[in-house]
Amino acid sequence: MIAGKTWREVRWMALAYLVILEALCVPVLLLWPDIYEDLQRSTLFKNLGIDFAKRILQGVTDKDEQIAYTNWAAVMLFFRSTNLVCVAAAVLFGTGLFARERENQTFEFLLSRPVGRGAILWQKTWPTALCLVLPIFLVNLSAIFWSRRIELDLPLAELLLGSAHAGAFVLFFLAATTLLSVLLRTQAHVAAAIGAFAVLQIGVYLTQRLRPYSLFKLADFEWYGPLLNGNVSARQMFDPLHGPGYTTWLLLAAAACYALCLRALRKATP
């Protein structure tokens, strides 16, 4: 029943989120032939002083158009959409999971249900997580179809791996936002807190010497580009003992936030 209520609360936002992701995906892929020609001719970006921007430019202007296109997809589908739209959606969805119940004065009623608080948390979390992660896979898989319209290819296996990593990144933000939604009493306070955290992380990422300490370093072009080009294996994604293991670290961080959320919920009072 709680899961059904959660689904009814987020379904229209989830649909809008899916439409936005697809709307951002289609034009940047279909316009690629013209974009590639412009990038090949342009000298505007040759003297960029930002190192990660230089690497992006080098990737999307590669002489091999297929490699350049795959890098373009890494930038647009993952570095841009995941880090902007998907994280924003995770914050939007997670903010109201419990703080909204307090604002609507239904939190006490929710806790009085004949189910444990762990079950309450799970039934609120899994529909929301599904609404966040499934569109990532659907939109990125649709990119294969759109790519074929311009006679280029995107690798299925690598797209699925990239989507899995993006899903882990988004799940961390959902878990962190849900934790704040339990701890804080208003949606505005939750949004302010997680927003400040995200802005701080972006600021750190944009500072070259501090970039390795930013959470967004785990989900930038330097990760997704090699991944989509087949230079990062599933083992490197998930095995922190024999590779970076970024995906596993993100999932562990999300699990830690979920555990803290459960602990906070068990102690929570209306």
Side-chain angles (χ1 to χ4, degrees):
M1 184 178 294
I2 295 173
K5 177 178 178 293
T6 303
W7 161 247
R8 289 190 294 274
E9 290 172 348
V10 302
R11 59 184 175 179
W12 295 115
M13 291 191 296
L15 178 60
Y17 161 61
L18 173 63
V19 170
I20 290 170
L21 279 179
E22 187 70 11
L24 288 173
C25 164
V26 175
V28 296
L29 297 184
L30 294 183
L31 292 174
W32 166 252
D34 293 333
I35 293 171
Y36 184 61
E37 289 183 8
D38 291 341
L39 288 171
Q40 291 292 310
R41 291 195 300 265
S42 177
T43 60
L44 180 62
F45 304 107
K46 299 300 182 183
N47 297 316
L48 283 172
I50 306 174
D51 60 339
F52 77 88
K54 284 183 180 179
R55 285 190 281 274
I56 291 175
L57 181 63
Q58 290 169 357
V60 300
T61 57
D62 195 280
K63 295 301 181 182
D64 185 324
E65 186 178 1
Q66 180 60 60
I67 294 176
Y69 178 68
T70 303
N71 286 325
W72 178 254
V75 174
M76 292 295 139
L77 299 182
F78 293 99
F79 184 51
R80 178 195 61 166
S81 293
T82 297
N83 292 348
L84 292 178
V85 180
C86 299
V87 168
V91 171
L92 177 64
F93 287 14
T95 295
L97 282 183
F98 291 96
R100 184 190 298 118
E101 301 283 357
R102 283 195 171 99
E103 290 183 347
N104 294 340
Q105 299 182 343
T106 56
F107 191 62
E108 183 175 5
F109 174 72
L110 178 67
L111 297 184
S112 69
R113 292 291 185 91
V115 293
R117 297 193 181 192
I120 292 173
L121 177 60
W122 174 245
Q123 291 185 47
K124 275 186 161 288
T125 300
W126 77 258
T128 308
L130 187 63
C131 287
L132 282 169
V133 174
L134 185 58
I136 295 174
F137 282 87
L138 293 177
V139 170
N140 290 339
L141 288 174
S142 78
I144 296 176
F145 169 78
W146 297 116
S147 299
R148 289 173 179 168
R149 296 290 299 272
I150 56 172
E151 300 181 351
L152 289 167
D153 293 311
L154 288 176
L156 174 60
E158 284 74 12
L159 269 179
L160 292 175
L161 288 176
S163 299
H165 185 78
F169 190 71
V170 171
L171 286 178
F172 166 75
F173 272 92
L174 173 63
T177 307
T178 304
L179 174 59
L180 290 171
S181 187
V182 174
L183 294 173
L184 303 178
R185 291 188 169 270
T186 67
Q187 295 181 77
H189 291 161
V190 176
I194 194 66
F197 172 75
V199 169
L200 176 63
Q201 289 297 313
I202 292 171
V204 171
Y205 180 81
L206 293 175
T207 305
Q208 182 172 335
R209 293 187 179 182
L210 299 179
R211 188 170 302 126
Y213 306 103
S214 172
L215 182 65
F216 286 91
K217 184 68 175 68
L218 306 182
D220 65 0
F221 170 73
E222 292 178 24
W223 174 255
Y224 285 118
L227 177 58
L228 289 195
N229 280 291
N231 298 320
V232 176
S233 66
R235 183 177 183 181
Q236 290 174 299
M237 288 174 58
F238 292 102
D239 186 355
L241 298 179
H242 299 90
Y246 288 167
T247 310
T248 293
W249 289 122
L250 286 169
L251 291 172
L252 288 174
C257 287
Y258 185 89
L260 291 172
C261 188
L262 178 57
R263 181 183 178 185
L265 186 60
R266 284 173 172 164
K267 294 182 178 181
T269 56

